Amino acid sequence: MAHTCIHWFRKGLRLHDNPALMAALRDCKELYPVFILDPYIYNNTLVGINRWRFLIGCLKDLDCSLRKLNSRLFVVRGKPEEVFPKLFEKWKVTKLTYEYDTEPYSLSRDKTVTTLAKEHGVEVVYKISHTIHDMDRIIEENNGKAPLTYNRFRTILKTIGNPKKPIPAPTIEETKDVKTPCSENHDKNDGIPTLEDLGHDTTTLGEEKFPGGEQEALRRLDENIARKDWVCKFEKPQTSPNSLSPSTTVLSPYVTFGCLSARTFWWRVTEVYQGKKHSEPPVSLHGQLLWREFYYAAGVGIPNFDKMEGNPVCTQVDWDTNPEYLAAWREARTGLPFIDAIMTQLRQEGWIHHLARHAVACFLTRGDLWINWEKGQKVFEYLLLDGDWALNAGNWQWLSASAFFHQYFRVYSPVAFGKKTDKNGDYIKKYLPLLKKFPAQYIYEPWKAPRSVQQAAGCIVGKDYPQPIVQHEVISKKNIQRMKLAYAKRSADSAESPSKKQGVKRKAKSVIDMLQKKDKKE
């Protein structure tokens, strides 16, 4: 049977290594590539302008690639469960394909759409290609539980074996008999919206340092892979959080949106490693991809993974509610230049180094401001180009020492940490030009500069730049004690009422044991 098929693009915004797209092309006479601007995901309270710009770049690039195959991308607005029945009828669709997505909202949405498709006599085919491995298989191999340590996760992967090899993009020869009927008004009716169409003011937009799209992703991959010695020696903790140009690959936004296949990335790195001495997980490039997989598995296997309450692996902490502190952190006016420079870069460019994320996340939560990690998670989701539900939730729990990482007494200094890799404060001067005339000895602590130095720098602390929002040396010690109490309470609660949650039973107990050991050391 020759099908009329919709391929539903969501995250896999690429043609290479797209098995669901290839499934659409199989026995296909008419293909409709569709992207839905789902108001649940794409609204201006959840997605910042830099992320919107990146998405539009991805869609333009995808449409350009499809044109080379005599096809086009249809961008439709609305709720998928309302859009699809209309499209099924309008185009007489017989098959729907998509790339599997493990986020809770996506699973619920896809279940609804699949039911609707069956009611309309539409065959549904999905393929796993957003992650390197099948998350359900990983959990199954771990006795139905999400692995809670990276080492355990890697042990399970040894039983599963190597990732599948990526598949090539479809060729014009493979699609020569497939038609995509388009109206003359395609761009007007089903084309890609502009930022202005979506209600954004673009006058304040800065330079686009990381343009969206598959072609840009592959170009950047080639550029990084060409540095063979660098690839072999890469160790994430040894890279700099405050270098003036990124010290890592910055391929994360492209993997998040699926412009770059994680499997393609994995196997290209594998080719470089062949016969050479190279770094190993967790710090290597392969290690970074496995961290992504680790958090994806956690997101699938742990209930309420993006929340503190109802999350069985997350320590329950009595965080403060302080809107003024949260706003100061979000708007880069904490009075701590290293923190404010990072948050300024994030707002301007949509990307910051992994260790810079560590510094500002620790500062917001257990280190200094004692604000719930869920608040920071929402800010990152809005501002980051590579904002990814599972990674964002997992990393915020890690950095707040709520789950996965339990050495709560190890706190990032908002002064000393930045100095390690940038003694002169060039990074601060770039993102906070107001402070650029301060001598290096005061750039991280401008409030310590004599009045005459502040006047010479043209910046009076308390007037032109804020006083520090907290005294780190004092508050961090107080917060360590607060965290110690939260851990002790968790241990006591767990001893009284062991977790009955399915999928975390055995591992949750081992985490509690770890916490008790930490308390004994204190």
Side-chain angles (χ1 to χ4, degrees):
M1 173 185 170
H3 285 283
T4 298
C5 186
I6 289 177
H7 176 68
W8 183 12
F9 282 101
R10 295 107 67 91
K11 286 179 181 171
L13 301 178
R14 63 179 185 273
L15 298 190
H16 77 277
D17 193 29
N18 196 331
L21 176 61
M22 296 306 282
L25 291 168
R26 206 167 295 126
D27 304 320
C28 179
K29 61 176 180 180
E30 287 185 358
L31 174 70
Y32 293 91
V34 168
F35 182 87
I36 299 175
L37 283 171
D38 181 345
Y40 181 86
I41 300 173
Y42 297 105
N43 66 63
N44 291 349
T45 62
L46 290 179
V47 180
I49 190 167
N50 282 318
R51 194 170 166 92
W52 270 114
R53 177 166 65 173
F54 190 88
L55 171 66
I56 288 169
C58 295
L59 298 180
K60 283 181 178 175
D61 181 84
L62 184 58
D63 185 47
C64 184
S65 297
L66 287 166
R67 283 178 193 240
K68 292 171 184 173
L69 300 176
N70 296 320
S71 184
R72 292 297 302 273
L73 181 66
F74 291 76
V75 178
V76 185
R77 300 191 201 191
K79 297 176 181 175
E81 63 270 25
E82 293 172 3
V83 165
F84 274 117
K86 295 172 187 172
L87 296 182
F88 294 155
E89 300 262 344
K90 179 181 175 183
W91 292 330
K92 305 290 186 286
V93 175
T94 57
K95 186 157 85 168
L96 170 68
T97 65
Y98 61 82
E99 180 182 73
Y100 189 64
D101 189 344
T102 58
E103 291 184 23
Y105 168 73
S106 305
L107 291 170
S108 170
R109 172 200 64 197
D110 295 350
K111 187 178 178 184
T112 302
V113 169
T114 298
T115 301
L116 288 169
K118 286 177 181 171
E119 287 171 4
H120 285 78
V122 176
E123 178 192 352
V124 177
V125 177
Y126 66 80
K127 300 287 184 182
I128 294 167
S129 54
H130 186 62
T131 49
I132 294 173
H133 297 282
D134 177 349
M135 294 298 115
D136 292 329
R137 169 88 191 279
I138 287 169
I139 290 168
E140 187 183 311
E141 291 286 341
N142 197 44
N143 302 317
K145 309 169 188 72
L148 293 186
T149 68
Y150 191 82
N151 285 341
R152 176 63 188 153
F153 178 76
R154 288 194 67 202
T155 300
I156 293 160
L157 290 188
K158 284 174 187 169
T159 67
I160 291 173
N162 284 329
K164 288 181 181 175
K165 292 280 183 78
I167 62 172
T171 64
I172 189 69
E173 182 61 29
E174 289 170 311
T175 59
K176 66 174 194 256
D177 297 325
V178 180
K179 304 283 186 288
T180 298
C182 284
S183 70
E184 288 181 11
N185 295 323
H186 179 85
D187 287 330
K188 183 181 175 186
N189 299 332
D190 300 302
I192 298 157
T194 63
L195 286 170
E196 289 81 4
D197 291 338
L198 297 165
H200 288 287
D201 176 10
T202 58
T203 54
T204 57
L205 263 182
E207 176 195 355
E208 188 172 20
K209 295 205 166 183
F210 315 110
E214 179 181 17
Q215 299 316 308
E216 180 68 12
L218 293 173
R219 184 192 71 75
R220 285 172 178 263
L221 177 65
D222 287 344
E223 200 174 70
N224 280 288
I225 291 296
R227 301 188 287 166
K228 292 183 168 50
D229 190 51
W230 181 83
V231 167
C232 289
K233 290 179 179 175
F234 181 91
E235 292 190 6
K236 191 65 168 276
Q238 302 308 316
T239 57
S240 170
N242 47 6
S243 55
L244 297 186
S245 58
S247 58
T248 54
T249 66
V250 196
L251 287 170
S252 53
Y254 301 93
V255 176
T256 298
F257 278 82
C259 315
L260 174 62
S261 151
R263 292 193 300 213
T264 297
F265 191 178
W266 176 276
W267 283 104
R268 289 290 300 277
V269 170
T270 302
E271 287 167 16
V272 174
Y273 284 169
Q274 291 301 322
K276 297 187 185 74
K277 185 181 176 185
H278 58 83
S279 55
E280 295 284 350
V283 297
S284 63
L285 284 176
H286 270 176
Q288 305 317 300
L289 288 166
L290 293 183
W291 275 117
R292 178 177 183 265
E293 301 277 301
F294 171 76
Y295 283 131
Y296 264 79
V300 171
I302 298 169
N304 301 305
F305 186 58
D306 61 342
K307 297 176 179 64
M308 179 176 77
E309 290 186 15
N311 178 340
V313 304
C314 184
T315 302
Q316 304 298 299
V317 178
D318 293 326
W319 301 109
D320 291 341
T321 300
N322 193 323
E324 291 80 15
Y325 274 12
L326 177 62
W329 175 83
R330 184 180 61 239
E331 294 160 18
R333 36 184 192 82
T334 67
L336 281 301
F338 181 54
I339 300 297
D340 291 342
I342 293 168
M343 295 305 289
T344 300
Q345 183 189 17
L346 174 58
R347 186 169 293 279
Q348 288 177 1
E349 299 174 10
W351 181 88
I352 48 176
H353 187 279
H354 182 67
L355 294 175
R357 300 178 198 205
H358 282 212
V360 295
C362 181
F363 183 85
L364 180 72
T365 57
R366 64 187 170 87
D368 296 78
L369 302 187
W370 203 254
I371 301 288
N372 190 332
W373 59 267
E374 290 177 40
K375 301 292 185 184
Q377 176 184 240
K378 284 186 172 64
V379 172
F380 270 26
E381 184 179 276
Y382 184 80
L383 293 175
L384 278 170
L385 295 179
D386 59 10
D388 184 304
W389 182 83
L391 277 70
N392 200 20
N395 276 310
W396 273 98
Q397 286 173 78
W398 183 295
L399 268 303
S400 62
S402 296
F404 308 115
F405 175 81
H406 306 290
Q407 296 176 21
Y408 57 84
F409 41 83
R410 291 178 59 189
V411 175
Y412 287 91
S413 164
V415 173
F417 184 55
K419 281 184 178 177
K420 284 181 187 175
T421 46
D422 180 23
K423 284 189 174 60
N424 291 325
D426 293 331
Y427 175 82
I428 291 169
K429 292 173 184 177
K430 177 179 178 179
Y431 290 103
L432 301 178
L434 187 68
L435 302 178
K436 67 182 177 185
K437 291 184 181 174
F438 272 88
Q441 71 187 99
Y442 297 117
I443 191 73
Y444 284 88
E445 302 169 285
W447 63 91
K448 289 186 175 179
R451 182 84 175 184
S452 59
V453 172
Q454 294 182 35
Q455 286 172 334
C459 176
I460 305 299
V461 175
K463 175 172 170 267
D464 305 308
Y465 181 71
Q467 289 280 0
I469 196 168
V470 288
Q471 276 185 278
H472 172 72
E473 298 78 8
V474 176
I475 199 70
S476 60
K477 290 183 175 66
K478 178 186 171 189
N479 288 347
I480 286 170
Q481 293 309 310
R482 292 177 84 175
M483 207 70 196
K484 186 176 179 180
L485 286 172
Y487 272 40
K489 186 174 185 302
R490 172 172 180 153
S491 297
D493 290 348
S494 301
E496 288 169 23
S497 176
S499 171
K500 302 289 185 195
K501 298 280 186 184
Q502 185 186 6
V504 295
K505 204 164 40 182
R506 188 190 335 161
K507 283 293 170 183
K509 187 174 184 299
S510 68
V511 171
I512 292 158
D513 290 342
M514 284 172 63
L515 303 187
Q516 289 169 335
K517 284 176 190 172
K518 295 283 177 213
D519 284 333
K520 283 173 187 172
K521 284 181 186 176
E522 291 290 297

